[in-house]
Amino acid sequence: EVQLVESGGGSVQPGGSLRLSCAASGFRLRQHDMSWVRQAPGKGLEWVSSINSRSGREDLTAYADSVKGRFTISADHAENTLYLQMNSLKTEDTGVYYCATDPRGTSRGQGTQVTVSS
């Protein structure tokens, strides 16, 4: 059974940092384009970042323009855990963050709340 469990959300001031984690079970991260998607209040799902580890060598990463240079996606294949390091957070980064097995967020976890507010 595929299971994704996110953690690490919280409340921070603008400019702050958070590190999200996603523990995966029932499959290996390398099998999918693991992704982070988010949902702001009253809005639809938005793709944030993806990582492709299928080559077994260098991970390939991609980011939405809105987070490029501030967020970093990574995968610990030994622990089968996905991460999202978020720096220089802005109020518009507020939302529920989901770990997913595809960039559209079709199969995702329960989410973790991130609130950026002064």
Side-chain angles (χ1 to χ4, degrees), residues 99-117:
C99 161
T101 59
D102 67 284
R104 298 180 68 179
T106 305
S107 178
R108 58 186 184 270
Q110 85 289 347
T112 185
Q113 176 71 44
V114 171
T115 302
V116 185
S117 174

Side-chain angles (χ1 to χ4, degrees), residues 6-21 36-41 48 67 70-71 84-99 110-117:
E6 301 94 336
S7 61
S11 294
V12 296
Q13 293 186 339
S17 298
L18 285 173
R19 188 192 195 204
L20 306 184
S21 299
W36 289 96
V37 297
R38 67 187 181 186
Q39 187 166 26
V48 174
V67 307
R70 301 187 296 120
F71 291 10
L84 185 69
Q85 177 66 44
M86 305 188 296
N87 299 328
S88 302
L89 283 161
K90 304 176 181 180
T91 55
E92 52 262 44
D93 294 319
T94 293
V96 179
Y97 283 69
Y98 300 92
C99 161
Q110 85 289 347
T112 185
Q113 176 71 44
V114 171
T115 302
V116 185
S117 174

Side-chain angles (χ1 to χ4, degrees), residues 4 19 23-24 35 37 58 62 64 74 77 80 83 86-87 100 105 115 117:
L4 300 165
R19 188 192 195 204
S35 301
V37 297
E58 181 178 356
S74 62
H77 297 291
N80 213 39
Y83 297 99
M86 305 188 296
N87 299 328
T115 302
S117 174

Side-chain angles (χ1 to χ4, degrees), residues 8-88:
S11 294
V12 296
Q13 293 186 339
S17 298
L18 285 173
R19 188 192 195 204
L20 306 184
S21 299
C22 171
S25 59
F27 69 101
R28 304 303 299 179
L29 295 182
R30 294 184 189 280
Q31 294 177 254
H32 297 281
D33 288 335
M34 294 303 300
S35 301
W36 289 96
V37 297
R38 67 187 181 186
Q39 187 166 26
K43 297 189 177 181
L45 280 177
E46 175 191 18
W47 172 73
V48 174
S49 181
S50 295
I51 186 168
N52 181 323
S53 306
R54 290 196 188 89
S55 72
R57 298 189 295 272
E58 181 178 356
D59 290 342
L60 300 177
T61 59
Y63 299 92
D65 287 343
S66 59
V67 307
K68 200 172 293 183
R70 301 187 296 120
F71 291 10
T72 302
I73 190 171
S74 62
D76 183 330
H77 297 291
E79 296 294 325
N80 213 39
T81 299
L82 184 72
Y83 297 99
L84 185 69
Q85 177 66 44
M86 305 188 296
N87 299 328
S88 302

